[in-house]
């Protein structure tokens, strides 16, 4: 218990350090001292520096943390409800459907009428991700909540939407194709305070419920029969978890594009450090995800100064070494 | 800068010499040296050309009053990516709709079988189909089927290849004199820009040219290649040329704010209509264009840039860049980058003269604009 507490605090400190590092890096001369000073005393910065801090650095750094929290929490819940360590928030086709929604907006300009242009792509991505969730809900209600049927349906949806994305790519002009490819690689350059607010609200709504479901989820981890004998309504538990996962994932993807690996590796790293207890696993996963995102954001800004490398590429590059070292240093099973 | 001008002139001269040294005697067919240096012999000037870059209809339009008659088949890029210009051509030549479309505009979708079936007199391919290019199998297959292949280039090296490519096309369809006339029109005007830039003193103004500018995330900008070279040619210091590792890169907004460009130029066209980006070119009136341009520079972080504060915000029609009309883009850039020194340069006058003397379908619309 104490050991887990200490690990949790350590992970939180790493996440905080990564966030501060993210705040202090960028292609301009505004360093960490200047950035922190600018937050505490807004009048200490010049106009350009203030614009860099409040329009670029802060929204991107905060959004990176929120996206990390959302994707890694969603990943941890997904791995439990599907009883599969290889599951991630994208397993059931939520990401490919969101990509298709974005592709429709980017390539064909098709979107929800009345949505302002700046939100069109995000709104489309969100709507399509939600469609997939509704289909999965229907499956759960109709055929019960067996993991096999869910995963098979998810895979079918994944391939369906991937094919549709490929079709729009095939039809796209070169310019739209470039935009679409960049979108699917994920980027924090689309950060804004509005998006930060929306994602923060989603997390405020979902995270407490995820934490409250930690105990029955823990029981589910031990096997369906055991969970049933404890009087847990498994179908309902899966359905609610699926709802949380989808809401977090689709909102995150809608704002930053598809950023892989965080939702898979965050929970795993947390599990390797703290074990299976969901009450600790969830916050640790979330903080690990935030740390991975912040570090990836630092790398995406600094590898080629002035140019943003899509963060989806970087998350894997940053997370993989950590992931490998944990796997190989661990005795026993993953 | 002087060196660039000298290189430019040397290249133009050498292209001229190689082409002039090949007499086109009627009895021994037409001999063409294409942009990659291959020598191709056609039995007679081509009547039916396969255009692998649909937008090169503009080059044909410079050379002959009935450009559509020469096109046996073409790729769909012009129809798809520049719908408004295509509509201008359709108004004058309704039969353009009947020209067979091969593929949808990218070299990866080229249906070779269909091309062989159409059996054009010659296939004019862009440089991406050339040996070592992305799609060089196409050229091999066409030649195996007995269709002569000629390479032109208006994209990779516009300064070296534009005039040479127009001459190659002129030679292919038997319009050499007309191609020479265009060269005489084009070269002095480009030289005028180079001279003026050479005379301009003081530091080069910093320029951000954002390609396909939208209201979404910032800022896709060119590297040191193709469009990036136009900025350097017109005397600007492109803030993206030194940092972009490839032909194009996404700059971070922070870098843009820190670099604080003196001049901001957005490129766009009808293809950005749906996504809320900059529309410009045929089919759009100045008020609509300015409204979109204002929205582009109203994105977060732009208001403090000196380009925006000093009203040096401009829009350019993107598709004019990789055609022989890139002269208009070069002139507009020179005006924006050196407004004092380039006072006498007037892209609109150039457009009027191109319309009067050369183009089968005149340029009608706003191809370059100032926000203020």
């Amino acid at each position: 218990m104490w050991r887990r507490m200490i690990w949790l605090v350590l992970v939180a400190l790493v996440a905080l350090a990564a966030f501060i590092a993210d705040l202090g890096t960028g292609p301009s001369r505004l360093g960490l001292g200047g950035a922190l000073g600018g937050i505490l005393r807004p009048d200490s910065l010049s106009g350009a520096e203030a614009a860099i801090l409040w329009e670029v650095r802060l929204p991107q750094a905060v959004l990176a943390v929120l996206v990390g929290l959302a994707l890694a929490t969603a990943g941890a819940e997904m791995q439990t409800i599907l009883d599969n360590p290889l599951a991630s928030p994208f397993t059931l086709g939520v990401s490919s459907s969101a990509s298709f929604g974005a592709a429709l907006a980017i390539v064909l300009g098709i979107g929800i009428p009345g949505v302002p242009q700046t939100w069109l792509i995000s709104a489309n991505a969100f709507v399509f991700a939600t469609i997939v969730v509704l289909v999965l809900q229907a499956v759960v209600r109709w055929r019960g909540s067996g993991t096999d049927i869910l995963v098979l349906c998810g895979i079918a949806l994944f391939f369906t939407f991937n094919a549709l994305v490929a079709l729009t790519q095939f039809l796209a002009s070169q310019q739209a194709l470039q935009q679409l490819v960049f979108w699917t690689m994920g980027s924090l350059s689309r950060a804004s305070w509005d998006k930060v607010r929306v994602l923060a609200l989603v997390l405020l709504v979902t995270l407490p419920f995820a934490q409250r479901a930690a105990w029955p989820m823990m029981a589910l981890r031990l096997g369906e029969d055991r969970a049933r004998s404890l009087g847990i309504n498994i179908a309902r538990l899966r359905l609610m978890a699926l709802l949380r996962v989808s809401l977090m994932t689709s909102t995150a993807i809608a704002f930053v594009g598809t950023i892989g690996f965080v939702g898979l590796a965050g929970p795993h790293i947390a599990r390797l450090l703290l074990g299976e207890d969901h009450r600790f696993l969830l916050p640790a996963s979330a903080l690990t995800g935030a740390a991975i995102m912040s570090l990836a954001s630092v790398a995406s800004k600094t590898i080629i100064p002035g140019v943003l490398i899509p963060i989806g590429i970087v998350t894997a590059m940053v997370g993989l070494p950590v992931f490998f070292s944990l796997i190989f240093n661990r005795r026993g099973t993953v | 800068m002087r060196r660039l001008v000298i290189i430019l002139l040397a290249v133009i001269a050498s292209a001229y010499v190689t082409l002039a040294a090949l007499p086109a005697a009627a009895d021994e067919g037409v001999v063409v040296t294409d942009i990659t240096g291959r020598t191709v012999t056609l039995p007679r000037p081509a009547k039916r050309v396969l255009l692998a870059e649909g937008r090169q209809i503009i080059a044909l339009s410079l050379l002959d009053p009935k450009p559509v008659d020469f096109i046996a088949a073409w790729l769909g890029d012009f129809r798809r990516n520049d719908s408004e210009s295509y509509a201008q051509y359709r108004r004058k030549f309704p039969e353009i709709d009947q020209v067979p479309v091969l593929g949808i505009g990218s070299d990866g979708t080229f249906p070779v079988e269909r091309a062989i079936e159409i059996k054009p007199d010659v296939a004019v391919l862009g440089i991406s189909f050339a040996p070592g290019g992305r799609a060089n199998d196409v050229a091999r297959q066409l030649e195996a089927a007995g269709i002569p292949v000629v390479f032109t280039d208006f994209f990779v090296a516009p300064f070296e290849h534009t005039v040479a490519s127009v001459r190659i096309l002129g030679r292919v369809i038997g319009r050499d004199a007309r191609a020479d006339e265009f060269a005489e029109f084009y070269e002095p005007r480009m030289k005028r820009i180079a001279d003026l830039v050479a005379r301009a003193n003081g530091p080069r103004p910093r320029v951000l040219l954002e390609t396909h500018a939208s209201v979404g995330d910032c800022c896709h900008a060119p590297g040191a290649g193709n469009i990036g070279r136009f900025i350097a040619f017109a005397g600007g210091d492109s803030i993206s040329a030194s940092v972009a590792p490839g032909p194009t890169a996404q700059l971070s907004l922070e870098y843009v704010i820190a670099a604080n460009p003196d001049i901001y130029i957005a490129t766009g066209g009808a293809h950005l209509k749906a996504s809320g980006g900059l529309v410009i070119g045929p089919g759009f009136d100045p008020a609509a264009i300015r409204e979109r341009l204002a929205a582009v520079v109203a994105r977060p972080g732009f208001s403090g840039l000196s380009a925006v504060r000093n009203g040096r915000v401009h829009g350019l029609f993107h598709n004019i860049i990789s055609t022989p009309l890139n002269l208009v883009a070069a002139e507009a850039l020179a005006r924006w980058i050196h407004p004092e020194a380039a006072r006498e340069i007037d892209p609109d006058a150039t457009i009027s003269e191109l319309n009067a003397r050369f183009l089968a379908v005149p340029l009608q619309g706003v191809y370059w604009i100032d926000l203020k």
Side-chain angles (χ1 to χ4, degrees), chain B:
Chain B
M1 195 67 247
R2 284 271 302 278
R3 223 178 57 202
L4 182 68
V5 177
I6 291 165
I7 291 170
L8 202 71
L9 292 175
V11 169
I12 290 166
S14 64
Y16 188 83
V17 169
T18 32
L19 287 161
L22 298 166
D27 55 349
E28 55 186 65
V30 180
V31 182
V32 190
T33 303
D34 78 1
I35 215 76
T36 60
R38 297 155 65 257
T39 304
V40 181
T41 309
L42 307 177
R44 70 196 68 82
K47 289 267 180 291
R48 301 173 67 251
V49 178
L50 185 158
L51 270 194
E53 281 179 351
R55 63 176 175 271
Q56 296 328 338
I57 189 174
I58 290 171
L60 285 177
S61 174
L62 291 165
L63 295 167
D64 193 276
K66 292 184 131 179
V68 179
D69 290 0
F70 285 94
I71 307 176
W74 60 348
L75 259 67
D77 59 304
F78 186 65
R79 278 183 83 149
R80 278 165 47 88
N81 302 349
D82 197 353
S83 52
E84 296 292 331
S85 299
Y86 180 78
Q88 289 183 328
Y89 274 80
R90 187 171 44 204
R91 276 195 287 277
K92 186 152 180 185
F93 303 108
E95 67 273 23
I96 199 168
D97 281 340
Q98 272 72 59
V99 176
V101 177
L102 303 174
I104 54 165
S106 62
D107 44 26
T109 59
F110 192 101
V112 179
E113 273 187 46
R114 183 92 179 83
I116 292 171
E117 196 176 59
I118 287 168
K119 201 137 186 50
D121 298 337
V122 61
V124 177
L125 306 185
I127 216 153
S128 65
F129 291 96
R134 279 196 311 266
N136 56 2
D137 290 342
V138 171
R140 204 172 34 79
Q141 288 160 329
L142 289 174
E143 285 192 316
I147 296 166
V149 171
V150 170
F151 294 110
T152 57
D153 169 43
F154 293 96
F155 178 71
V156 177
F159 290 96
E160 293 80 1
H161 291 168
T162 297
V163 168
S165 294
V166 172
R167 285 188 200 273
I168 289 165
L169 217 63
R171 169 67 51 95
V172 163
I173 64 169
R175 296 288 180 274
D176 290 286
R178 189 87 170 146
D180 291 346
E181 212 180 315
F182 177 73
E184 281 155 27
F185 175 85
Y186 181 98
E187 285 164 353
R189 280 174 177 73
M190 286 298 268
K191 188 175 175 308
R192 181 170 64 156
I193 299 171
D195 291 348
L196 167 155
V197 169
R199 279 200 310 272
N201 38 30
R204 291 178 152 236
R206 279 191 310 273
V207 180
L208 169 59
L209 184 141
E210 185 178 7
T211 49
H212 310 291
S214 75
V215 289
D217 52 349
C218 156
C219 290
H220 288 278
N226 48 63
I227 313 175
R229 287 191 49 199
F230 277 86
I231 301 168
F233 177 75
D237 173 17
S238 164
I239 67 165
S240 54
S242 53
V243 294
T248 168
Q250 186 178 15
L251 300 180
S252 71
L253 180 55
E254 179 175 343
Y255 172 75
V256 171
I257 295 172
N260 197 12
D262 305 304
I263 298 152
Y264 172 83
I265 298 160
T267 75
H271 59 291
L272 298 180
K273 194 171 167 180
S275 65
L278 175 71
V279 293
I280 186 168
F284 300 101
D285 62 75
I289 298 170
R290 286 202 173 96
E291 192 184 318
R292 287 289 183 100
L293 189 54
V296 163
V297 291
R299 283 176 295 175
F302 271 68
S303 59
L305 298 182
S306 71
V308 177
R309 282 205 318 269
N310 301 329
R312 297 181 76 178
V313 173
H314 314 283
L316 180 67
F317 181 59
H318 189 90
N319 293 337
I320 209 166
I321 292 164
S322 48
T323 71
L325 309 180
N326 54 31
L327 166 64
V328 176
E331 288 190 340
L333 284 167
R335 259 183 84 104
W336 293 329
I337 294 168
H338 290 295
E340 286 303 310
R343 249 196 320 259
E344 79 272 22
I345 289 185
D346 181 3
D348 281 342
T350 303
I351 289 175
S352 304
E353 201 170 339
L354 279 166
N355 288 346
R357 286 180 51 193
F358 294 101
L359 286 165
V361 175
L363 293 177
Q364 280 169 322
V366 178
Y367 291 84
W368 59 288
I369 198 166
D370 308 324
L371 182 57
K372 296 271 183 306

Side-chain angles (χ1 to χ4, degrees), chain A:
Chain A
M1 192 68 173
W2 273 113
R3 204 181 61 85
R4 287 183 191 146
M5 268 307 203
I6 291 166
W7 271 117
L8 194 58
V9 171
L10 276 178
V11 174
L13 287 174
V14 170
L16 182 67
F19 170 72
I20 290 172
D22 190 15
L23 209 54
T25 46
S28 71
R29 277 196 299 269
L30 183 68
L32 182 57
L36 293 175
I39 295 171
L40 300 171
R41 288 185 299 109
D43 55 349
S44 68
L45 298 180
S46 70
E49 284 173 330
I52 286 170
L53 180 64
W54 296 102
E55 302 278 5
V56 187
R57 288 256 186 109
L58 261 175
Q60 283 184 12
V62 175
L63 195 64
V65 167
L66 295 178
V67 167
L69 293 175
L71 290 180
T73 308
E77 297 227 277
M78 200 67 142
Q79 286 169 8
T80 299
I81 57 174
L82 296 182
D83 193 21
N84 183 339
L86 294 178
S88 82
F90 302 166
T91 302
L92 299 183
V94 176
S95 67
S96 34
S97 62
S99 294
F100 178 62
L104 280 183
I106 292 168
V107 176
L108 304 172
I110 297 172
I112 309 144
V115 173
Q117 285 291 358
T118 32
W119 289 82
L120 193 68
I121 297 172
S122 298
N124 260 21
F126 185 81
V127 165
F128 274 83
T130 312
I131 288 173
V132 159
V133 175
L134 292 176
V135 170
L136 290 171
Q137 303 284 358
V139 169
V140 170
R141 284 177 192 282
W142 173 50
R143 299 296 305 267
S145 65
T147 53
D148 291 354
I149 198 98
L150 257 185
V151 170
L152 285 174
C153 267
I155 289 173
L157 287 166
F158 175 84
F159 280 108
T160 306
F161 283 108
N162 267 6
L164 289 170
V165 170
L167 183 66
T168 41
Q169 285 182 335
F170 177 74
L171 295 171
S173 68
Q174 241 161 351
Q175 172 270 333
L177 182 63
Q178 175 184 319
Q179 210 188 337
L180 183 55
V181 168
F182 267 86
W183 192 89
T184 50
M185 288 196 276
S187 168
L188 289 169
S189 69
R190 309 166 190 128
S192 69
W193 288 114
D194 292 343
K195 291 173 181 175
V196 166
R197 272 192 280 273
V198 173
L199 187 54
L201 188 70
V202 166
L203 287 172
L204 280 177
V205 170
T206 49
L207 287 181
F209 284 101
Q211 200 57 41
R212 224 182 58 176
W215 183 83
M217 290 289 268
M218 183 68 214
L220 185 62
R221 217 31 217 141
L222 301 170
E224 287 196 26
D225 298 342
R226 177 89 54 103
R228 257 192 215 96
S229 69
L230 291 168
I232 294 167
N233 179 344
I234 293 177
R236 191 182 149 70
L237 182 67
R238 280 215 174 103
L239 201 62
M240 295 319 278
L242 199 57
L243 264 179
R244 290 193 295 270
V245 166
S246 330
L247 190 59
M248 286 190 267
T249 310
S250 50
T251 314
I253 292 181
F255 292 158
V256 295
T258 44
I259 297 176
F261 193 79
V262 180
L264 174 71
H268 269 293
I269 291 171
R271 203 172 277 129
L272 292 168
L273 297 173
L274 290 95
E276 285 291 355
D277 187 337
H278 250 264
R279 287 166 308 175
F280 290 96
L281 181 62
L282 275 183
S285 299
L287 291 167
T288 310
I292 293 176
M293 280 299 294
S294 295
L295 291 173
S297 169
V298 171
S300 80
K301 286 187 285 193
T302 47
I303 294 173
I304 306 176
V307 175
L308 272 183
I309 296 175
I311 197 162
I313 299 172
V314 184
T315 45
M317 298 287 174
V318 171
L320 275 170
V322 180
F323 200 42
F324 273 124
S325 69
L326 280 167
I327 293 170
F328 291 124
N329 286 336
R330 187 188 160 87
R331 295 171 200 84
T333 53
V334 173

